[in-house]
Amino acid sequence: MAYLYNTGILLLNVFLRFVSLFHPKASLWVSGRKNWRNRLAEKVEPGQQWVWFHCASLGEFEQCRNLIEWVKANYSEHKILITFFSPSGYEIRKNYALADFVTYLPLDTPKNAADFLDILKPALVFFVKYELWLNILKEIESRKIPSVLISARVGENSRFLTSLFAPLYRRAFLGFHHIFAQDEATKELLTRFSGHKAITVSGDTRYDRVLANRESFSAIPFLEKFTQSKLCLICGSTWPVDENAIFSAWDRLKDLPELVMVIAPHEINPQRIQQWKQKYPAETLLFSEQEQYISSHRILWIDNIGMLSRLYYYGHVAYVGGGWGTGLHNILEPATFGNIVLFGNRHEKFPEAADLIAGGGGFAVKDENALYDYLRKFFTDKELREKICVSNKKFIDQRSGATRIIVEWCERMAYFQATT
């Protein structure tokens, strides 16, 4: 079984190296892992206590960010390592100020796993959600390094439970010193599957992250100017299919002159943005061109990375992309600021979507006509907007606290010991 897994990892490497010849994201994946041993060794010095956080991508980083901040604030003598699997996480957070080193996770071969841990010698390891790399986790367990899985979530049809490699995944789950699950269903499944006795239902740490975003909000001066006292639609993490539907609805909302729209695409594609700008030349402005702002501008494209979570502060209604196929993006970021949240109707793998719908603050849309109907409804009913605004803030408040549960456990276990 392990032989098949290792063969698959090597085939993945060959495939990505081939694809990297013509795909920019794959090229980043390959080039970012070159010479990783030397780069890691340059950062690690004898006697240092490293706490290692591994994230698949940006979303998982946000899930452990509050925990990273707690470690740095309370145990500053410890060094922080953050690894990513995906370029979309690494490229955005490679200069994260609270980390002592940010890098890609090496390809999961037995030799890479052994070499990585020989160099780092971490005091404690955190993996996030369901990012399980079997050779690395096996090596961590064999060295008796304390390891924790946070915000874990699995379903009945998870590949961990049903794939050919289920016996290997069973060992991987069992190797964690403790698992913090998002919900009771995950705890029951993992207990039955792995036999692990140390699983705690903590909730999802993303709620803590978005609550922190609200509490530490810092203004964006130009957004203050652009939105003023107008109604505002924020479209976050959009893909082309989302944008087509958004602008179809926008064309039918022309009788709402007080309405403005801010779009922050998932991937910055200057050519695509220019195509939309050419279609709406008098209305469209790019954030990078804000000095050209005039009152007739009603559509603002965000052509940079890193502002999205703060943009929602200026919105009344938010449309979050990815729900029509690529995977729903973060709907909790707009909810924490009281936005009414709209998204595509393919959200089965995102329990927060079902919860937000049940709470009356999230709405799944099946097509552009449904999107228009919702936008018309919410932008013409002030009383309803204000009611949902209050409700969505409470929705976030009531589900926060997962990080505190993890922190209290770490304190009880005394994993963080001063090095002086």
Side-chain angles (χ1 to χ4, degrees), residues 161-206:
L161 282 60
T162 61
S163 78
L164 177 67
F165 303 117
L168 299 181
Y169 286 125
R170 180 179 294 111
R171 174 175 174 171
F173 280 115
L174 194 56
F176 284 106
H177 282 56
H178 206 96
I179 297 174
F180 291 93
Q182 290 189 26
D183 49 44
E184 191 65 39
T186 293
K187 177 181 178 179
E188 292 177 2
L189 278 171
L190 288 182
T191 300
R192 187 167 68 245
F193 173 66
S194 69
H196 206 304
K197 303 300 183 183
I199 304 178
T200 300
V201 177
S202 62
D204 189 345
T205 51
R206 282 182 301 173

Side-chain angles (χ1 to χ4, degrees), residues 222-240:
F222 181 67
L223 265 294
E224 301 273 0
K225 180 178 180 179
F226 182 79
T227 58
Q228 295 180 16
S229 58
K230 300 170 185 173
L231 295 173
C232 183
L233 168 64
I234 306 288
C235 302
S237 299
T238 59
W239 295 88

Side-chain angles (χ1 to χ4, degrees), residues 3-4 17 21 29 49 65 81 102 105 149 156 158 189 191 242 249 315 339 345 369 376 401 404 413:
Y3 173 79
L4 290 177
R17 286 181 180 277
L21 298 175
W29 192 97
Q49 294 281 316
R65 187 169 174 175
L81 170 71
V102 181
L105 186 75
L149 180 62
E156 290 281 0
S158 167
L189 278 171
T191 300
D242 301 304
N339 285 212
N345 60 345
N369 289 324
R376 168 71 62 182
R404 183 185 67 253
M413 298 300 293

Side-chain angles (χ1 to χ4, degrees), residues 1 7 47 59 77 88 92 112 120-121 137 158 200 256 271 286 288 305 314 359-360 390 416:
M1 200 73 67
T7 300
E77 69 277 8
S88 58
I92 294 175
N112 283 353
L120 183 65
K121 297 180 176 62
L137 289 172
S158 167
T200 300
L256 300 177
Q271 182 179 4
L286 274 60
S288 61
I305 298 295
Y314 299 97
V390 173
F416 295 94

Side-chain angles (χ1 to χ4, degrees), residues 120 135 168 183 221 228 236 292 309 374 386:
L120 183 65
N135 287 313
L168 299 181
D183 49 44
Q228 295 180 16
Q292 301 175 22
S309 63
Y374 276 126
E386 292 177 346

